[in-house]
Amino acid sequence: MAISLTFLGHSAFLISDGKHTIAIDPFLTDNPVATMKSEDVTCQYIGITHGHFDHIGDSIELAKANDACIIATFEIASFMESQGVQKVEPANTGGRIQTDFGWVAFTQAFHSSSYAGLSAGGTEGVYMGMPNGLMINIDGTTIYHCGDTDVFGDMALLRDIYQPEIALVPIGGRFTMDPALAMRAVDLIKPKCAVPIHYNTWPPIEQDANDFAPNGVHTQRMKPGEVWDVDPALIA
Ligand code: NI
Ligand code: MN
């Protein structure tokens, strides 16, 4: 069975093998480019890379509506439990969680992680642990969602360890890598396919996705709402 990726805009995805659906960083309600509403999303798992509002997004509502399990750092998982979320799988950088679709491993990201609380515009940020990337193994394919991060040399080490076929790479600049740095990252990660993310959501992270054109890698530039049924030949 093939896997499909649905880009929800910004860093948000649905990843499915036809049996299981994992939402990653499901930021929908306040996401100006999102085409899907939270109530239209069905998922069994929610993976969260870090605590910023544009990644936690609709996780609480989505978890409750779907009785979905949140996979996140210990701090985020504890916060979710405090908000009434029933199923959580806490982990941390270097850790791996076995699931019924495969596994999720937590990898380092160079960024920050706090949450301003449930009142929009709140200034009291809650510490949400270390930011992470997520390696998601589903149906025998490994997808590296880099989270928000700078490029770092140990992306080559992560490549050796996990050998991801698909990399989801932030290119927006200012808060993460820009297209030039993201291409350096892809050179280290050496996936078969790369998808640019975390750009054109707001003016400060406007980019031309065509500037992200890593060498020797199939680049899938996705519009919010687009579904990519991954051709198995691309990742073989
Ligand atoms: Ni962030
Ligand atoms: Mn972000």
Side-chain angles (χ1 to χ4, degrees):
M1 189 172 307
I3 54 166
S4 70
L5 276 70
T6 304
F7 183 46
L8 303 178
H10 201 55
S11 287
F13 282 87
L14 298 177
I15 299 173
S16 179
D17 63 359
K19 266 165 75 177
H20 314 89
T21 300
I22 306 112
I24 308 293
D25 288 355
F27 172 50
L28 300 169
T29 299
D30 296 318
N31 178 350
V33 299
T35 58
M36 254 178 119
K37 285 186 167 31
S38 176
E39 43 284 25
D40 301 328
V41 172
T42 302
C43 61
Q44 294 81 49
Y45 295 89
I46 300 166
I48 304 173
T49 60
H50 66 291
H52 289 156
F53 73 97
D54 55 321
H55 300 263
I56 287 206
D58 297 78
S59 294
I60 297 169
E61 301 85 330
L62 214 49
K64 289 181 179 175
N66 290 277
D67 194 28
C69 176
I70 291 186
I71 295 172
T73 56
F74 173 77
E75 287 80 0
I76 293 174
S78 301
F79 172 75
M80 291 298 167
E81 284 187 305
S82 80
Q83 299 304 311
V85 172
Q86 297 291 318
K87 295 184 188 166
V88 297
E89 285 277 12
N92 217 327
T93 319
R96 194 192 296 222
I97 294 172
Q98 297 294 333
T99 65
D100 60 1
F101 60 81
W103 46 260
V104 177
F106 286 63
T107 61
Q108 69 177 18
F110 282 90
H111 193 64
S112 57
S113 182
S114 60
Y115 188 59
L118 296 171
S119 56
T123 52
E124 287 185 41
V126 180
Y127 174 64
M128 285 293 180
M130 296 291 282
N132 281 275
L134 297 176
M135 291 279 178
I136 300 139
N137 179 266
I138 178 168
D139 195 44
T141 297
T142 302
I143 300 166
Y144 177 21
H145 189 303
C146 295
D148 284 2
T149 188
D150 188 10
V151 62
F152 51 92
D154 280 348
M155 283 175 166
L157 178 62
L158 296 177
R159 190 268 162 324
D160 286 349
I161 296 169
Y162 298 107
Q163 303 179 350
E165 284 92 0
I166 300 172
L168 315 177
V169 189
I171 69 159
R174 186 180 286 254
F175 303 108
T176 67
M177 300 181 278
D178 65 4
L181 289 178
M183 285 192 282
R184 297 292 296 266
V186 170
D187 287 346
L188 296 169
I189 301 164
K190 294 186 172 61
K192 298 205 163 101
C193 306
V195 182
I197 65 173
H198 209 275
Y199 69 101
N200 289 358
T201 317
W202 301 283
I205 55 171
E206 257 173 35
Q207 296 290 345
D208 181 347
N210 292 314
D211 291 342
F212 175 73
N215 273 330
V217 174
H218 171 84
T219 301
Q220 189 80 17
R221 299 178 188 86
M222 300 179 72
K223 292 189 175 65
E226 192 177 327
V227 181
W228 176 29
D229 292 314
V230 181
D231 178 354
L234 277 177
I235 52 174

